[in-house]
Amino acid sequence: MSSDLLNALIDSFRVLPSVGPRSARRMALHLLQSNRKGGLNLAEVLSKSMVHIKNCQSCRNFTEQELCSVCCDSARNPLKLCVVENPADVDLLELASGFDGRYFVLMGRLSPLDGMGPIELGLDKLFEQIRINGVKELILATGTSVEGDATAQYITDQLVNDDIEITRLASGIPAGGDLEAISGNTLKNAFNNRQPV
Amino acid sequence: MSSDLLNALIDSFRVLPSVGPRSARRMALHLLQSNRKGGLNLAEVLSKSMVHIKNCQSCRNFTEQELCSVCCDSARNPLKLCVVENPADVDLLELASGFDGRYFVLMGRLSPLDGMGPIELGLDKLFEQIRINGVKELILATGTSVEGDATAQYITDQLVNDDIEITRLASGIPAGGDLEAISGNTLKNAFNNRQPV
């Protein structure tokens, strides 16, 4: 591009995940050609967010306050704790589950090759909280990927001597699903975990 | 999301082309979790770009000045004008063609359903420039899509009474291409435009 600023803009878009040189150029030209107001708004909200959004002191979820809205809520039961990988999982569970306890957000899952170890996931803080608050029920709602399973297993192993009930989300056939449409592993789990009717 | 600012950030990313709610969330979380510096830089460059990048007074290409670097360059031949759809096309032609004339950037192509008519493409300005500068050779380097062809045809029709040589980029087999790998229309064009060896 003949404009230095435009080149810099295209380069800057490359920080976004899965955005290569062609997408970055398309984004820059699109905003310049047809949505400068939206671009300015994005710039403003983005810069505010990068400065003001931090991690909740208690559950590590994103928030602009010291404590997030769930951790501030005295109606939530502090004896139940649900461990999730990402902030988005908290929202999904809040919508779907009716869970009345608190959360702990790992901000990832164990994946040593990507530099995600127990320290990066804040597991020391998790164990400290479990012991200080006397948590009675721990729900491991990490994903069912290999890394999600490994993360749940690691946490379980570390708590083997604690008096605490640990559960994992049920794995089985999705609601409304046909047997044909699910993977072999899912079917295997569903068969092994069959329930009395 | 429990944070209002985070919700606003996710919403703001939706101004980018082909970014839906899931990609927008992924972008926001990625920057917050692992690249706040890159996010801040993007915000700064983006806000500068939206304010300072404008259209060249002569060719409509993006530039921070009144005239872009090509239009400022007195070594370029003002009697040759190459019409392209997008700013990116100028860069590609500059790299590949050795063209020594000037450009005119339509910032789109004729597409009435998308609100792109002759006015939006600045065609009145194009014709004015051609007549004022006494352009002798006009190269229509619009794409070979239906709209690109229609745009080239429209411009040609408007200049039917002017003394000007109008050409279109050759359409044929890509360099290094096998006959098998190209579309039927491309092959038809290549056959019809066959050249003496």
Side-chain angles (χ1 to χ4, degrees):
Chain A
M1 293 287 164
S2 45
S3 154
D4 289 341
L5 194 49
L6 183 51
N7 279 330
L9 179 60
I10 294 169
D11 264 2
S12 307
F13 272 120
R14 304 284 306 277
V15 297
L16 298 175
S18 348
V19 172
R22 289 172 68 98
S23 310
R25 191 161 66 186
R26 208 156 48 91
M27 288 173 173
L29 295 183
H30 173 79
L31 291 182
L32 285 169
Q33 281 173 3
S34 50
N35 198 351
R36 292 195 184 221
K37 213 175 138 196
L40 274 176
N41 178 58
L42 170 58
E44 196 191 321
V45 177
L46 181 57
S47 105
K48 259 194 215 159
S49 299
M50 294 297 116
V51 175
H52 294 300
I53 294 179
K54 47 198 172 185
N55 295 103
C56 170
Q57 293 290 314
S58 170
C59 75
R60 308 212 329 152
N61 202 351
F62 287 127
T63 175
E64 297 129 81
Q65 320 296 327
E66 289 303 302
L67 289 175
C68 74
S69 54
V70 173
C71 290
C72 281
D73 184 351
S74 57
R76 312 283 302 212
N77 185 344
L79 303 181
K80 296 184 192 173
L81 191 65
C82 178
V83 177
V84 297
E85 292 181 8
N86 290 306
D89 302 334
V90 173
D91 298 324
L92 295 172
L93 283 166
E94 284 293 284
L95 279 175
S97 72
F99 176 62
D100 68 343
R102 296 193 172 164
Y103 294 93
F104 189 89
V105 184
L106 300 172
M107 295 286 174
R109 47 199 182 187
L110 278 184
S111 178
L113 289 181
D114 303 320
M116 295 303 277
I119 306 280
E120 285 73 24
L121 300 182
L123 293 189
D124 45 346
K125 207 166 158 184
L126 171 65
F127 300 135
E128 189 189 294
Q129 271 193 41
I130 289 174
R131 284 153 195 164
I132 288 178
N133 295 335
V135 170
K136 289 291 162 217
E137 184 180 357
L138 186 70
I139 300 162
L140 299 174
T142 53
T144 54
S145 63
V146 174
E147 292 94 346
D149 278 336
T151 310
Q153 190 58 52
Y154 182 89
I155 294 172
T156 309
D157 289 348
Q158 301 293 309
L159 294 169
V160 69
N161 295 323
D162 291 63
D163 173 28
I164 183 169
E165 185 191 347
I166 303 181
T167 54
R168 192 100 169 73
L169 294 194
S171 173
I173 304 170
D178 283 328
L179 294 200
E180 286 175 7
I182 61 180
S183 73
N185 274 336
T186 307
L187 190 53
K188 187 175 137 196
N189 285 343
F191 192 85
N192 290 340
N193 299 323
R194 60 193 180 276
Q195 307 274 322
V197 285
Chain B
M1 293 287 165
S2 45
S3 154
D4 290 340
L5 193 49
L6 183 51
N7 279 329
L9 179 60
I10 294 170
D11 264 2
S12 307
F13 273 121
R14 303 284 305 276
V15 298
L16 299 175
S18 348
V19 172
R22 290 170 68 96
S23 309
R25 190 161 67 184
R26 208 156 49 91
M27 288 173 172
L29 295 182
H30 173 79
L31 291 182
L32 285 169
Q33 280 173 3
S34 49
N35 199 351
R36 293 196 182 220
K37 214 175 138 193
L40 274 176
N41 178 57
L42 170 58
E44 197 191 322
V45 177
L46 181 57
S47 107
K48 260 194 215 160
S49 299
M50 293 298 115
V51 175
H52 294 300
I53 294 179
K54 46 198 172 187
N55 295 103
C56 170
Q57 293 290 315
S58 171
C59 75
R60 310 213 325 154
N61 202 352
F62 287 127
T63 174
E64 296 130 81
Q65 320 296 328
E66 290 303 303
L67 289 175
C68 74
S69 53
V70 172
C71 291
C72 281
D73 184 351
S74 58
R76 313 284 301 213
N77 186 343
L79 303 182
K80 296 184 191 172
L81 191 65
C82 178
V83 176
V84 297
E85 292 182 9
N86 289 307
D89 303 334
V90 173
D91 297 325
L92 295 172
L93 283 165
E94 283 293 283
L95 278 174
S97 71
F99 176 62
D100 68 344
R102 295 191 174 167
Y103 295 93
F104 189 89
V105 184
L106 300 173
M107 295 286 174
R109 47 197 182 187
L110 278 185
S111 177
L113 288 181
D114 304 319
M116 295 303 278
I119 307 279
E120 285 73 24
L121 300 182
L123 293 188
D124 44 346
K125 208 167 159 184
L126 170 66
F127 300 136
E128 188 189 295
Q129 271 193 42
I130 289 173
R131 282 151 196 167
I132 289 178
N133 296 336
V135 169
K136 289 291 162 218
E137 184 180 357
L138 186 70
I139 300 162
L140 299 174
T142 53
T144 54
S145 62
V146 174
E147 293 93 346
D149 278 336
T151 309
Q153 190 57 51
Y154 182 89
I155 294 172
T156 310
D157 289 348
Q158 301 294 309
L159 294 168
V160 70
N161 295 323
D162 292 65
D163 174 26
I164 182 169
E165 184 191 349
I166 303 182
T167 54
R168 190 102 169 73
L169 294 194
S171 174
I173 305 172
D178 283 328
L179 293 200
E180 287 175 7
I182 61 180
S183 73
N185 274 336
T186 308
L187 189 55
K188 186 176 138 196
N189 285 343
F191 192 85
N192 290 341
N193 300 324
R194 59 194 181 277
Q195 307 276 323
V197 286

